[in-house]
Each structure stands twice: as structure tokens, then as C-alpha cells.
Amino acid sequence: MNRVVAVLTAGTLAILPLAGTAAAQQQVHQQQPAQPKVLRVALTTGIDHLNPFTASLAASTQVGRFIYEFLTIPSADKAEASPALAESWTTSPDKLTWTFKIRQNAKWTDGQPVTAKDAAFTFNRMLTDETARTANGNYVANFQTVSAPDDSTLVIKTKAVQSSMDLLDVPIVPEHVWAPIKDLNDPKTDDLSVVGVSDGPYQLTEYKQNEYLKFKANKGYWRGAPKVDELQLLIFKDVESAVNALKQGEVDVINRLTPTQFDALQGQPNIATNKAPGRRYNEINLNFGVENNENKPIGNGNPVLKDLRLRKAIAQAIDPKTIVDKVMGGYGQLPGGVIPPIYTAYHWDPTAAEATKFDIAAANTALDQAGYAKGQDGIRVAPGGARLELRLTGHANRPFDQRTAQYVSGWLHDIGISVKQELVSDEELNDRTNAGNYDLAISGYATNPDPDYALALHTCAGRPNAEGKGATTDTFFCDPQYDALYAKQLTETDPATRAGYVKQAQARLYSQAVNVVLDYDNSLEAYRSDKFSSFEKQPQPDGSILEQTGYWGVYGAVPAGSEAVAADSGGSNTVLWIVIGVVVVIVLVGGGVLIGRRGKSADDRE
Amino acid sequence: MSQAFTSGQASALADPDERRGGTGTLRFVLTKVAEAAASIVLVIVLGFFLFRLLPGDPVAFMARDRPTDPAQIAELRQQLGIDKPVLAQFGNYFVGLFRGDFGTSYIERRPVLDMIGERLWPTVLLVGSATVLAIALGLWLGIRAAWKRDSFFDRAQTGIALTLWSVPQFWLGLLLLVVTNGVFPSRGMHSPDAGPGFFAQGLDVLHHLVLPCVTLLAVFYAQYMLVMRSSLLGEMNADYLTTARAKGLREDMVRRHHAVPNALLPTVTLVFMQFGMVVSGAVTVEAVFSWPGLGQLTYDALHGPDLPVLQGVFVVLASAVVLMNMLAELLYRVLDPRVRTA
């Protein structure tokens, strides 16, 4: 044991000189007149790649937004297409040729000018290289040719009319850096030598995988340098730890809070909270007899749900207001179609006549009339003789699903339907829903500023193939009327007319009761008000800071003043020294005592 | 624990050459090595097929909440090699292993071996230092408690150890985070603000190490303490201790030089088994403190599921346990003459 103590003592003594050096460095650091203004963001989701061609996870695409500029980006005020690299754009009369005018005052961080040739290179690489299509391939699937007749003109010809052309969510990369790279799967494409050359508001300067990312303000950014000198994304695997870090001033901004965490942070000193409309909808899918993309029935859904009258009665027996108030703690918005109200132009709410209002009595009456008689035990029996027993599946680890399942079971019981809750792991749920093995499933999706994605999730083409794989569907919906409306909005370039089709498509989906939208989640965020006075939100004035489709939040961050930042870093360091001091004293004293005792007992040796 | 040795003993006993010395030991060693090698091959085969039973579709995971068309998805499947039959995938995997190729991660598209390598050091640092401290603390407390059996110290220490042993690790970690109130960093192993240079970086890592290490230590030490305590209690009434006391040795010496060395034997196996587990990390503690170790890698990989990473981690962990188990058996033979000659 004494040896252990001796080793510990030696180890501590060995560290002391290092401590001195670090303290000296810190001292020098603090004496500098201007502390850099640092924005520290807690990142609670993973990063797969920095390479913008292959980066798929949400946090990775967000990094791409901070460092790269796009042709156009969703505006801060309304999240609608606004100029970025492209100052303006025009379409040909047949709407097949798009001409973008590229601004001439943008520069890559290595000093080279950003030109239309960079944009043409980016899109052409995606057209010719499979790997380059990994992340954003769907945007170029319909492209015929892309060319840059001169440095300020980009011309894209499409095979068919494509309405998403004014919001291509594709970061533009520098040709002189990326052209020599032959294999885009090469891990080197995640290195600073490659992704460190960019033209967005921030430039990546350090990437410690699984730990943090560090950026510096791009002084040459064409919109002007951000007010924050340094941006740090700190990776937290546990949201609760991240909340604690915010309270203790270790991070400045955090998002993806649960209602409970959000409530707990309200009223805390130096912390401001931000509740914003979110991009996500929650829903319950009804297995109406789903089929794969070859129109072959799949899965083991209860056939009774093929009856639209039964589905409508179920929809009528589900109360979104209770879900928002009780499950979401009030932090959600009441539903309409599958596009949340954050996208005002495309959001659809049913009229009073169309709406399925929560009404248990009316649902019971409707089922009585449809011939679903109640049995002795209060459970209804379908006209064919089958008892109305449905399975409800959802995520076992998500509090939303657990509580929603309780409420829904209760309501459905009230209309004579027995519900068996089957909450399972995320992976198992994915497998079950992909294979159609469910009756009722709690689901949900995040949507984009362009409505195409949210609508495509319900098209015939979105359904999986015979192996349960292939495209991405949400509801398995396949309806000629819906698909026709979907196709019309896809090829309509007049914004108002397109929005009309988008709303009609949502109305059609709603009328078939293949899903019941429960709510749109609010995006719940919090930040250190002692460090930052404001952020640019999207949309304005009540939008979110981090959960944006753009860089506005971190670009428009306004520091509250440099004193607070400087005082804090000094403070935590002092405490560190006290702690190290205490540890050293304990080890020295403990070691001394033990060594002394060893000396005393020397006489006793055999 | 003792069953682990029976096969070794049996083969030694059955060997008529044993009394002649060297050959028996060599044969024993070779048998153990062969057994370990066979276990590892079994692990590789089982690992591959077991993970194929996991629910989840890596491509669906990657395509979630993101506009993707069927052509993109088909391409992803082909790039990941999961469009091929399972047996063909296994063939490629098995052949690759012999070239040191553990495959490529589905999610990060990097060689699995690189990813494991990056995560191994943080885990060994965290779990290794916690284990070493836990062994030191556990053995020391175990000896004191046994020697003063039924005293207040004994009862209090056993009570505390049992309580900490049953406390969930993540809860203890979060509690420490709140209680220490920002004295120690709450995430990761490095701070972006640490100065340059080896010294500043080293200090920064130590600063980050404190909380997760203390959390693990608090949970780990109990088993060493309890094993040591019961093992020493078993020795306490032995005749050789009476002899030692009769020689007039101080109680302290009797404990340190006579009782403890004998009582240490059962803990040797425990220590080696635990060292095998060192690389497996501590998933929950790594998650609470966002420690970039193997436990976290496994947790993240399960969510994909990122099969090549899971398989790679499984093979590395299982091999570490098998190898440490083998070393424990060999070492026990050296330490305890009774195993050799009984």
C-alpha cells in the first residue's frame, strides 16, 4: 500500500511543474486587453462527416451551414428563399432553365474569389459521382446540365420543371480544393485541409472527433464578419449534463430541451429561455391495409382499419389539445396538416366543416351507425365478427410516446376499442413500421422549408419494396388524387399556385384518416443572458436560435459584453488550483503518515 | 471463480509427466493458449451472425428526416455492401480480419479499427485509472474491515461499499456534477480552450478525468473490498497466524506479512477479470460525462445500427476478456503452488 501512496505522491509532484506552466499561460492570457468573444453551443446529437457531400446527420448539415454559403438560403424573417451566393435568379419561359447571378464580393478563406465555376463544379460533381450524391442527391436528380458561362453566371437546365430550384439545400464548395480529390469517401475529406477552406460566416479551425468543433469568425465573409470571434460546438452525450453545463456557465446556448428541462430553466439567474415554433410533427399512423411499392399487401395490420368510418371515429376520439397541454406541457401547437405553421405559406388547417373535432359521443354514435356493436365487456365487434382490439406501438424510451399511449388507450377504450400498448426500441419500431407490422404507430417527422419532402413521405413512390426497404414513407399512403396534387406542386413555380396545391394535398391526406397529426413540437432552447443579449431568430420575431435552416442564429449572436466572459474563465481556473492544492496536500500528508508508520514498525521485522 | 481452474487442474493431474516438471507446464500453457484462440474464433463467428439479428436498418436511420430518393437509398446500400447475401458478407469480413481489416463503419465511413483505436486510449485511461484506484482502496479498506471485524468501522465501511455498489452509475455521476458546481468540466476529455503544449494539455485531461474517475471508483471499489474482506476473514483463524503471534510479532506485522499475502490469492483472478473489462468502458458514465471512449462508441453504434463497429468492438472486448482470463489462470499457477502440485 505504501508503494501505491509513493507512486501517487511522485505522480502528483510530477504534475506540479505542469500546473505552474499552465497557470503562467493562463495569466498571460488574462492580461491581454481584449478577450475574444466566444459562443459555446451544446451539441447533443452526433456528427458523421464534415464533408458536405456525405454529411447526413442533422448536426453535420448544420456545420455545413456555418462554414459554407449556399446559392440561396431560407430567410431569417420568413424562412423563404432569399439571396446568398446568388444575388438574383431568373427562369426561362418553359421553367426548365434557371440562371443564377453569382455575387462577386465573396471570397474563400484562402483568399481565392468565389465564382459561378465553383457552383458549377459542385453540382457537376454530384451529377457524375455517386458518392457526391450521398447527402443531397435528390436536389440534382432532375438536372440535365449545369454550366458557368462566366464567373458570375450559373445556368442549370432541368429535365422537368422543379419547384425546389430556388432553395437548393446544397453547400457550394471550392473547386480548387475539391477537384483534386478523387475519392469522396476518403476520411481525409473530413480534415481541416479540405473543409477548412470555406466561405460561410465561420471557418472551421479545429475538430476533435466526438468532443468538440472550433470555428473562428470569417473576417472576409461577404455579409460582414460575425460579432462573435469564436464559435465552439461542444458535444454532450447526455442532455441533462448539458443543462447542468448551461447553469454553470460552461456553455452559452442549448436546444432540444424537454418541457420539464425547459420549465426548470425558467427563472434561473442569467438564463433566458426561448420557445419557438418547431419543424416537427407528431402523429399516430393507422394501418389501413398497407402495401409495398408493387401494390402487394404487407404486414400484419388488423384488417378492420381498412374501414374509413372506423379510422375517422378513431381520429375523432383523439384530443390533440390534451396532448399539447398535458404531454407537451403546453409546448406544442395544435395540428392541421403535415406541414407545421412555422412554414406559413404551406401550412394547412382544416375548415370547421372539414375538421375532425374531438368528440367521444359522436365517435360512439358513428361506430354504432357503422354496425360496430358493443359486446358484453364494452368492446365493439366489427360487422364480420372481429373484436376491436388494436396494438399501439411507439418508442419505449420516449416520454412523449409513453404518455401519449396512455391517453390514446383511454380514449379508444371510451369508444369501445381495446388497445394493447407495445412500446419498443427505436430500431424495433423502425422494423415494425417499415414492414407494416402495426395497427396504430406513434411516429413523426421533421420537415423542411421546401414542402416537397413532407409531402413525398405520403406518395405511392415513397413506399418500400418487397424487402421492406427502398424509399422513405411515413404513412404508406398511396392515392392517385394525392399523387396528382403532389406532382402539380412539384412542377409549379408560381409560389401562390404551388402553395394552393400543397394545401390541397394535405387536405386530401387528412380526409382519408391514415394518420392523426397530434401536435407540432415547439423548439425549446435556453441561453446565457449574461453572455449574450440577443440572437437572430428564424422566423422572426418568435423563431428558434439553433433549430434553423440557416446560419442566422450563430451569425447574428450579439455578445452582452466582454467583462462577464473574462471574469468567468478566471473564476473556474482559481477553483481548479484550489482543488489541485487540496489533492496534493492530502496525498502528501497521507503519504507522510504511512511512511512514518512504516519506519516505526521496522523493528518488528522478522 | 474456482471452476475456471478445474480444467487446468484436471489436465495437470492426468499428466503422468507432471512430476518431471517442465513438460507439464508447457503443455498447460499451450492448452490454455489454444483454448483462448478457439474462444476468439468462436467470438468472431458468433458476433457476426448475432448482430445480424438486431432490428433496425442502417440506411433507414441515415435517411430519416432528410429528403432522399429511392436511387440514393439503393446507392447507399451498395456502397455499404449490405446488398450482398449474408454469407458473402461474412466471407469478406472473416478474410478481412486476418489482414487487420475490421471493415468500414456504415455511419462514419472510416475503418473500424481506426475508430476503435481512437476510443481505446480514453477508455483505458478512465476505466484503468478508476480500476487501479479501486483495487488500492478496496483492498486497503477490505483488510482493515476484516481485521476489525464487527467493529463500527467494519460495519460502516461494508454498509457504505454496498450502498455505493448498488447506486446507478449515471445517477451518481449527475449528482457529482451538480454538487461540484462547475469546479470540474462536465463533458469530454479536452477543452477547446486548453493552451497549446503537452503540459497544458495533460493538465486539461486530468481536470476532465476527475469526475468520471471518482464516479467509477465509488462504484468499483466495493467488490474488491468485499472479496478481500471475506478472503481475509477466512484466513484469520488459521494456525500459522497463531504461530506468528506466538513468535511475538506485532499485530500489524502478522496482518501485513502473513495473513494478507495468503488472502490476496482469490482477488488475483478478480483483478485480472476486471482488467479484461477495462476496455469495455463504462457506458453510462461515459455518456454522462460525454467521455469519448469505447462504451460510448458502442452505444452510438447500437443506434444505427452500425454493424461493422459493433462487431469490431465485440471482438476486441471479448478477446481482451479471454486473454486476461488466460493470464489469470497462468498466473494463479505461478502464485499458488497448491494448484500445480495438488
Side-chain angles (χ1 to χ4, degrees):
Chain A
M1 201 52 51
N2 293 352
R3 271 184 214 144
V4 173
V5 175
V7 168
L8 276 179
T9 314
T12 316
L13 287 173
I15 291 163
L16 277 176
L18 331 186
T21 317
Q25 280 173 352
Q26 190 73 25
Q27 212 65 37
V28 170
H29 203 53
Q30 275 171 32
Q31 278 161 7
Q32 284 167 357
Q35 276 280 341
K37 297 180 185 76
V38 184
L39 171 61
R40 291 164 300 181
V41 177
L43 197 67
T44 50
T45 54
I47 292 213
D48 52 350
H49 296 283
L50 298 178
N51 174 350
F53 291 110
T54 52
S56 304
L57 301 182
S60 316
T61 50
Q62 204 59 33
V63 170
R65 293 182 209 287
F66 296 163
I67 61 177
Y68 291 111
E69 192 56 277
F70 295 64
L71 281 185
T72 60
I73 68 163
S75 62
D77 55 349
K78 288 188 192 148
E80 287 170 2
S82 73
L85 268 191
E87 285 176 318
S88 61
W89 52 96
T90 51
T91 50
S92 61
D94 62 1
K95 298 175 187 171
L96 290 176
T97 305
W98 288 69
T99 309
F100 295 87
K101 277 286 161 205
I102 306 296
R103 69 181 64 250
Q104 289 304 286
N105 61 339
K107 279 195 164 55
W108 298 109
T109 48
D110 62 1
Q112 303 250 23
V114 183
T115 69
K117 300 216 161 53
D118 292 306
F121 164 78
T122 305
F123 290 117
N124 278 318
R125 187 72 189 255
M126 291 172 74
L127 289 175
T128 52
D129 182 339
E130 274 184 4
T131 312
R133 288 196 293 271
T134 305
N136 304 307
N138 67 307
Y139 288 104
V140 300
N142 180 38
F143 283 16
Q144 188 142 43
T145 58
V146 184
S147 60
D150 59 64
D151 279 358
S152 62
T153 312
L154 177 76
V155 180
I156 301 177
K157 289 198 162 80
T158 59
K159 293 176 210 157
V161 179
Q162 180 175 338
S163 58
S164 63
M165 287 299 292
D166 62 353
L167 257 185
L168 297 169
D169 197 13
V170 178
I172 304 299
V173 302
E175 181 178 12
H176 63 281
V177 174
W178 288 84
I181 300 171
K182 294 297 163 231
D183 177 12
L184 288 180
N185 265 326
D186 189 336
K188 284 196 184 67
T189 55
D190 285 342
D191 289 350
L192 284 183
S193 59
V194 176
V195 290
V197 182
S198 56
D199 60 346
Y202 288 95
Q203 182 185 6
L204 190 66
T205 54
E206 199 181 336
Y207 174 40
K208 204 153 216 127
Q209 207 147 21
N210 314 305
E211 291 212 69
Y212 62 80
L213 299 100
K214 203 164 152 178
F215 308 79
K216 69 174 182 191
N218 178 4
K219 300 286 180 206
Y221 182 48
W222 69 268
R223 283 186 207 267
K227 294 185 189 68
V228 168
D229 303 304
E230 189 177 305
L231 170 68
Q232 297 176 357
L233 302 186
L234 305 171
I235 296 173
F236 282 85
K237 288 290 167 181
D238 183 272
V239 186
E240 210 57 61
S241 306
V243 170
N244 190 58
L246 179 80
K247 283 190 203 156
Q248 296 173 347
E250 226 180 307
V251 294
D252 302 316
V253 200
I254 180 174
N255 69 340
R256 295 184 177 237
L257 295 168
T258 64
T260 319
Q261 289 164 337
F262 188 78
D263 282 340
L265 282 173
Q266 271 178 332
Q268 294 267 349
N270 300 325
I271 289 175
T273 50
N274 183 45
K275 180 187 106 158
R279 299 197 287 130
R280 209 188 138 73
Y281 65 88
N282 286 310
E283 65 183 337
I284 291 190
N285 285 333
L286 285 69
N287 189 332
F288 54 92
V290 300
E291 296 174 341
N292 63 20
N293 62 5
E294 290 156 14
N295 298 324
K296 301 251 164 55
I298 55 170
N300 59 14
N302 192 327
V304 291
L305 285 172
K306 286 182 182 168
D307 185 350
L308 177 61
R309 295 168 304 175
L310 175 60
R311 298 204 300 272
K312 284 199 156 172
I314 289 176
Q316 202 165 23
I318 292 174
D319 183 18
K321 186 159 182 349
T322 303
I323 300 287
V324 169
D325 291 347
K326 305 287 184 193
V327 178
M328 296 302 299
Y331 299 121
Q333 282 164 284
L334 289 174
V338 288
I339 294 172
I342 183 174
Y343 303 122
T344 34
Y346 301 114
H347 174 67
W348 170 83
D349 276 321
T351 61
E354 291 168 307
T356 317
K357 289 237 166 53
F358 175 61
D359 190 338
I360 295 282
N364 265 317
T365 312
L367 288 178
D368 289 341
Q369 286 169 354
Y372 292 87
K374 264 192 183 165
Q376 294 282 321
D377 53 359
I379 302 303
R380 290 179 187 275
V381 178
R387 271 165 59 85
L388 291 195
E389 287 171 331
L390 301 177
R391 297 160 297 166
L392 170 60
T393 186
H395 303 84
N397 58 359
R398 214 164 71 117
F400 177 88
D401 295 31
Q402 295 159 2
R403 302 196 52 199
T404 298
Q406 292 293 343
Y407 279 110
V408 171
S409 306
W411 288 322
L412 296 193
H413 186 265
D414 291 346
I415 60 168
I417 298 174
S418 147
V419 172
K420 188 174 164 223
Q421 295 179 27
E422 293 181 353
L423 301 186
V424 294
S425 74
D426 300 3
E427 295 79 19
E428 172 73 22
L429 182 63
N430 233 340
D431 273 7
R432 284 191 188 196
T433 45
N434 283 344
N437 292 333
Y438 63 95
D439 298 330
L440 306 171
I442 302 175
S443 178
Y445 269 85
T447 61
N448 294 323
D450 190 280
D452 179 53
Y453 173 58
L455 294 186
L457 288 169
H458 313 281
T459 57
C460 297
R463 295 171 305 163
N465 60 21
E467 286 87 48
K469 309 220 156 103
T472 318
T473 185
D474 175 14
T475 46
F476 282 89
F477 194 50
C478 179
D479 174 63
Q481 207 176 322
Y482 178 90
D483 271 18
L485 289 164
Y486 171 79
K488 277 186 182 164
Q489 66 79 31
L490 195 62
T491 53
E492 179 55 61
T493 51
D494 174 61
T497 317
R498 184 183 183 208
Y501 291 134
V502 170
K503 289 178 184 179
Q504 285 177 41
Q506 291 178 80
R508 174 66 190 164
L509 180 69
Y510 185 86
S511 72
Q512 296 307 297
V514 295
N515 69 338
V516 180
V517 178
L518 299 170
D519 82 304
Y520 312 108
D521 286 356
N522 282 152
S523 130
L524 301 178
E525 306 169 308
Y527 63 93
R528 294 291 302 199
S529 51
D530 53 341
K531 308 266 182 68
F532 288 89
S533 53
S534 67
F535 293 88
E536 187 152 9
K537 295 175 179 174
Q538 182 196 52
Q540 286 168 1
D542 301 317
S544 61
I545 297 168
L546 294 178
E547 202 98 336
Q548 298 187 349
T549 40
Y551 40 65
W552 306 109
V554 296
Y555 174 63
V558 181
S562 51
E563 317 85 63
V565 180
D568 175 72
S569 64
S572 67
N573 212 47
T574 316
V575 182
L576 166 64
W577 293 119
I578 296 172
V579 171
I580 289 182
V582 171
V583 172
V584 170
V585 169
I586 291 175
V587 172
L588 287 180
V589 171
V593 168
L594 282 171
I595 289 164
R597 286 181 51 181
R598 194 177 164 83
K600 252 190 239 165
S601 62
D603 305 337
D604 291 329
R605 288 211 179 124
E606 288 163 277
Chain B
M1 207 71 40
S2 60
Q3 299 96 311
F5 304 108
T6 45
S7 63
Q9 280 171 315
S11 67
L13 281 174
D15 183 358
D17 294 335
E18 168 64 11
R19 269 171 233 101
R20 277 183 246 145
T23 334
T25 305
L26 183 65
R27 178 171 294 190
F28 176 76
V29 171
L30 287 178
T31 314
K32 287 294 146 200
V33 171
E35 278 173 15
S39 305
I40 291 174
V41 170
L42 197 66
V43 159
I44 293 171
V45 177
L46 267 183
F48 184 89
F49 290 100
L50 271 181
F51 286 121
R52 291 299 182 287
L53 299 177
L54 271 183
D57 175 2
V59 175
F61 171 78
M62 290 155 84
R64 176 106 190 153
D65 281 349
R66 199 162 65 81
T68 26
D69 60 31
Q72 259 176 294
I73 288 174
E75 261 165 38
L76 267 176
R77 289 191 175 283
Q78 197 222 328
Q79 281 178 30
L80 300 182
I82 49 178
D83 53 341
K84 299 192 185 78
V86 174
L87 272 180
Q89 290 183 42
F90 177 72
N92 290 340
Y93 174 66
F94 202 76
V95 172
L97 278 182
F98 286 99
R99 294 194 311 257
D101 176 10
F102 276 58
T104 307
S105 153
Y106 288 166
I107 314 274
E108 290 195 22
R109 305 285 181 88
R110 294 195 299 143
V112 169
L113 207 57
D114 288 3
M115 292 169 70
I116 293 178
E118 275 166 22
R119 305 296 194 99
L120 196 62
W121 151 242
T123 290
V124 168
L125 177 69
L126 170 61
V127 189
S129 55
T131 306
V132 168
L133 291 175
I135 291 170
L137 183 71
L139 297 192
W140 185 62
L141 288 175
I143 292 166
R144 303 270 145 175
W147 212 252
K148 298 176 185 168
R149 143 183 62 170
D150 289 336
S151 66
F152 173 74
F153 178 84
D154 179 26
R155 285 198 303 269
Q157 285 303 331
T158 312
I160 293 171
L162 282 175
T163 309
L164 286 173
W165 178 241
S166 30
V167 161
Q169 295 183 0
F170 74 93
W171 182 81
L172 193 64
L174 278 175
L175 191 75
L176 281 174
L177 266 182
V178 173
V179 169
T180 53
N181 193 28
V183 174
F184 298 101
S186 47
R187 54 143 290 282
M189 193 172 155
H190 299 91
S191 149
D193 302 318
F198 180 74
F199 290 153
Q201 292 278 332
L203 191 70
D204 184 49
V205 170
L206 271 186
H207 194 200
H208 283 80
L209 182 65
V210 175
L211 283 189
C213 184
V214 168
T215 309
L216 282 181
L217 169 64
V219 178
F220 279 3
Y221 88 92
Q223 52 185 331
Y224 298 105
M225 181 196 157
L226 298 172
V227 169
M228 190 64 215
R229 181 180 173 278
S230 72
S231 154
L232 189 57
L233 282 178
E235 299 288 332
M236 294 255 296
N237 294 322
D239 290 343
Y240 68 88
L241 292 188
T242 317
T243 313
R245 288 196 182 98
K247 285 200 292 183
L249 286 180
R250 266 177 44 158
E251 199 59 11
D252 195 32
M253 295 301 296
V254 173
R255 184 185 70 215
R256 207 177 319 139
H257 291 277
H258 294 270
V260 169
N262 282 307
L264 265 176
L265 281 173
T267 55
V268 168
T269 327
L270 179 64
V271 166
F272 269 88
M273 296 290 282
Q274 289 299 314
F275 267 108
M277 305 296 281
V278 160
V279 284
S280 77
V283 178
T284 50
V285 171
E286 286 189 2
V288 168
F289 295 100
S290 312
W291 191 263
L294 273 186
Q296 213 184 85
L297 177 69
T298 316
Y299 182 80
D300 289 346
L302 263 174
H303 271 263
D306 197 340
L307 295 180
V309 174
L310 284 175
Q311 278 159 211
V313 173
F314 183 67
V315 169
V316 169
L317 296 190
S319 307
V321 173
V322 169
L323 288 178
M324 282 297 165
N325 210 348
M326 182 187 83
L327 279 180
E329 290 187 16
L330 296 179
L331 192 73
Y332 210 91
R333 208 173 137 92
V334 175
L335 288 181
D336 190 350
R338 285 170 294 185
V339 176
R340 261 173 291 162
T341 55

